[in-house]
Amino acid sequence: MNHPESPKQNERFLAHLGAVRWLILGFVVWCALLILTDLIVHRHLTFAEGELPIEGRFGFYAIYGFVAYLLIVWGSIILRKKLLRSEDYYDE
Amino acid sequence: MSEVHPALILLAGGLLLFCLPTTPRRIVSVILPVFGFLNLLTIADGTLWHITWGGYELTVLRADRLSMLFGYLFHLAAFIGAIYALHLKDRLQIGTGLIYAGSAVGAVFAGDLITLFIFWELLAITSVFLVWARGGERALRSGMRYLVMHISSGLLLLLGAVFYYLNTKSLAFDHIGLDKGHHYLIFLSFGIKCAFPLLHNWLIDAYPESTPVGTVFLSAFTTKAAIYALARGFAGEDLLIYIGTIMTIFPIFYAAIENDMRRVLSYSMINQIGFMVVGIGIGGALGINGAVSHAFNDVIFKGLLFMSMGAVLFSSGRINASDLGGLYKSMPWTCACCIIGAASISAIPLFNAFISKSMVMQGVADSGAVTIWLVLLFASAGVLHHAGVKIPFFSFFAHDAGIRCREAPLNMRIAMTISAILCIVIGSYPPLLYNLLPHPVDYVPYTTTHVVLQLQLVFFAVLAFVALMLTSEIDVSLKTRTQRITVGVLLLIGHHPPELPGVNLDSDWIYRRALPRGIRAVVRTGGLIVDRFFAGAKALIQKLIAAIRAQHNNRGLFGRSWLSQSNVLIAIIFLAIYLIYYF
């Protein structure tokens, strides 16, 4: 993958981005539509009444998925700092 | 009514493959699972076959809905695996692969603990050859570690069976439970094969070291036979809910930082097994149905993902995320199949995990375990991260690594396509699988609420990925105010971390690093102490000898010439002592 610090790769990616931009935009619109369905669709809760009331709130699943993903990425960055060793670590 | 044990066709046929030349071997290898399956269809539900051995009555075949489901599954996996292996010239992989499949079939039809033990050990012995088939020092060592773990699992099972017999006077393999201390021996034996936390590292260690074909076979049988055994023996044990939950959560972080794609899938496998273990722990019709249907689906979609990564390794010679990228140009078919596998494992509606994992989730919700449910939901987003996005995106898209290779061989593409079609067909038409489940199903996966909520969870997780990628890729020299604000907001969430080569420490560090070093240190210190002891003793003896010798030279006590008067004096002294003593 690219990093902002490697300008040559960045340039190449931006060339792609032109085509990908519409894809991303379409995806964002799709996500917006998905979360807006919470206003229209009558929901049946997974849990019995009163056990997890937050489940019925607007956008619970969407926000949960988004935040969980970020937490996993952030968590893995910390974990990698602690656990990453060179490839021949066990061969020494 | 069949007269042939369902395991026999694969076991004997697998042996036969070693004697056949290439072309007949290829044909027979694909036909064998089909024959096995047709034979299985003739076995009626409720069939029991007993044999008497050494005064004990063993149930070598017990067919009920639970064992039949796994029987069908293993034949299906063997069939797909055999097609995937068709390009191979060597007989070791396909031969041991089908014997291994036969062992798994034998294990799920075993009606007593001794028969189970025999197939349990056979699973270990046959599968290790698939690890060794890769060749080289790494595979050899990894296979040895794998074998030690699995033989230990078998021995625990045997020990547990002996205690079980002494207590109950029965060897029947039915519900065992955890109400007695010695039942934990059998529980632990199943736990090793099921990759319970801290006992899991054989999977992470050995599966990615195998050949492309070997890993596909390995991923299908051992852990699923263990899931069957847990469902049979320990359904409804609360402990399994907690163990399973841990299994769903810790691998997602490891999978996120792992570079070897097949190792990512191995972590992902533990995560998926975790959902099954939770389902078994919940027990009841919904829990068990959820667990075994997810096991069924997992063999198909995880097999598909392992096949696609195996194809990448086969064609490009690379498997590390840091070396891959842009492969969709060279391997479009494999790419499409991989995306279907990724969509399936992510439990997107119309794909197969959607109809099975949700049963486990609903089972947990019905039991009122809110925290466990929230953790499992978190883990579901984690699946999306490593299997739904990382595997296809960093292999086939991301930046172009410049690899220009051939598409996977035709047989590999056919095997992947069969799996991909099954993922969609089972996902879109649930009764196909639901009708095979051990308990009647009154769960409806396709409700508006369920579909919408699952789509929200999945696609907003993907949205997070898109946002993270944008911050990594975006040109920060953007001019307009809106662009600057957007970038600023995006940068708050950070970058998507790059894929880095390396080894991540896991519990195998204990026996691969700490223990050998500890033993070496003990031996070194112990050796030093022993050396010093002997050196000291030697010096002491040498000094003694020197002292004795000194008394024997011509100036020593015993060697020098004594004067006559001195001799007379000594004689007088002795005589005096003699006199006094006898006086």
Side-chain angles (χ1 to χ4, degrees), chain A residues 27-83:
Chain A
F27 182 71
V28 171
V29 171
W30 162 245
C31 285
L33 287 175
L34 268 179
I35 202 166
L36 286 176
T37 54
D38 270 9
L39 298 174
I40 313 159
V41 177
H42 173 70
R43 292 236 226 114
H44 300 276
L45 295 182
T46 317
F47 279 89
E49 194 66 41
E51 278 191 338
L52 184 66
I54 194 175
E55 192 202 344
R57 294 278 177 81
F58 174 80
F60 169 75
Y61 281 82
I63 293 164
Y64 200 89
F66 190 88
V67 172
Y69 198 100
L70 287 184
L71 288 177
I72 289 161
V73 169
W74 295 339
S76 66
I77 291 171
I78 298 167
L79 196 70
R80 175 182 272 171
K81 278 186 188 148
K82 305 272 178 216
L83 297 180

Side-chain angles (χ1 to χ4, degrees), chain B residues 174-475:
Chain B
D174 292 309
H175 183 76
I176 297 169
L178 288 173
D179 46 342
K180 290 206 174 74
H182 61 85
H183 291 182
Y184 280 89
L185 289 170
I186 302 177
F187 184 72
L188 207 60
S189 160
F190 295 171
I192 291 176
K193 275 222 187 339
C194 225
F196 279 4
L198 300 180
L199 304 173
H200 68 278
N201 233 280
W202 59 266
L203 199 161
I204 306 302
D205 184 8
Y207 283 13
E209 295 303 336
S210 180
T211 58
V213 170
T215 310
V216 171
F217 273 98
L218 286 169
S219 73
F221 301 109
T222 301
T223 50
K224 303 310 173 296
I227 284 294
Y228 161 82
L230 272 184
R232 175 76 72 189
F234 298 97
E237 291 297 338
D238 285 349
L239 182 59
L240 286 174
I241 302 176
Y242 304 110
I243 292 175
T245 307
I246 296 169
M247 289 174 76
T248 61
I249 199 80
F250 86 88
I252 58 181
F253 292 98
Y254 269 101
I257 57 175
E258 182 55 56
N259 193 30
D260 182 327
M261 287 303 202
R262 292 196 302 170
R263 199 154 270 137
V264 172
L265 287 175
S266 303
Y267 277 114
S268 169
M269 197 158 172
I270 297 177
N271 160 279
Q272 294 298 317
I273 296 168
F275 283 100
M276 299 166 212
V277 172
V278 170
I280 296 168
I282 294 289
L286 193 59
I288 296 296
N289 277 345
V292 298
S293 61
H294 201 51
F296 194 100
N297 287 336
D298 183 71
V299 167
I300 299 168
F301 61 66
K302 189 56 60 64
L304 175 56
L305 288 169
F306 268 120
M307 281 194 277
S308 62
M309 285 303 111
V312 165
L313 175 62
F314 181 84
S315 292
S316 73
R318 307 182 198 185
I319 196 61
N320 287 341
S322 54
D323 303 332
L324 292 171
L327 268 177
Y328 76 96
K329 292 171 191 162
S330 303
M331 306 178 76
W333 195 271
T334 307
C335 172
C337 289
C338 181
I339 290 173
I340 292 174
S344 299
I345 197 173
S346 308
I348 291 177
L350 300 181
F351 295 90
N352 59 358
F354 177 75
I355 66 156
S356 52
K357 193 161 82 176
S358 51
M359 271 197 272
V360 175
M361 296 296 282
Q362 189 60 53
V364 174
D366 290 351
S367 74
V370 175
T371 315
I372 300 284
W373 186 85
L374 286 171
V375 174
L376 293 184
L377 197 66
F378 183 87
S380 299
V383 175
L384 201 97
H385 175 260
H386 61 253
V389 171
K390 178 171 175 167
I391 292 281
F393 185 78
F394 290 103
S395 311
F396 297 102
F397 304 99
H399 78 282
D400 190 345
I403 307 167
R404 293 295 173 268
C405 58
R406 307 183 92 178
E407 175 58 286
L410 180 65
N411 65 303
M412 285 188 171
R413 276 180 282 154
I414 292 173
M416 287 189 279
T417 309
I418 294 172
S419 290
I421 291 171
L422 282 171
C423 283
I424 297 171
V425 170
I426 294 173
S428 310
Y429 187 64
L432 214 56
L433 178 57
Y434 284 0
N435 288 339
L436 296 175
L437 295 181
H439 302 284
V441 180
D442 63 351
Y443 176 75
V444 183
Y446 285 105
T447 61
T448 318
T449 308
H450 186 206
V451 171
V452 168
L453 297 187
Q454 183 64 19
L455 285 175
Q456 285 183 352
L457 182 81
V458 167
F459 284 106
F460 271 77
V462 178
L463 189 68
F465 166 74
V466 171
L468 284 165
M469 285 310 288
L470 279 176
T471 58
S472 308
E473 311 285 5
I474 216 154
D475 185 3

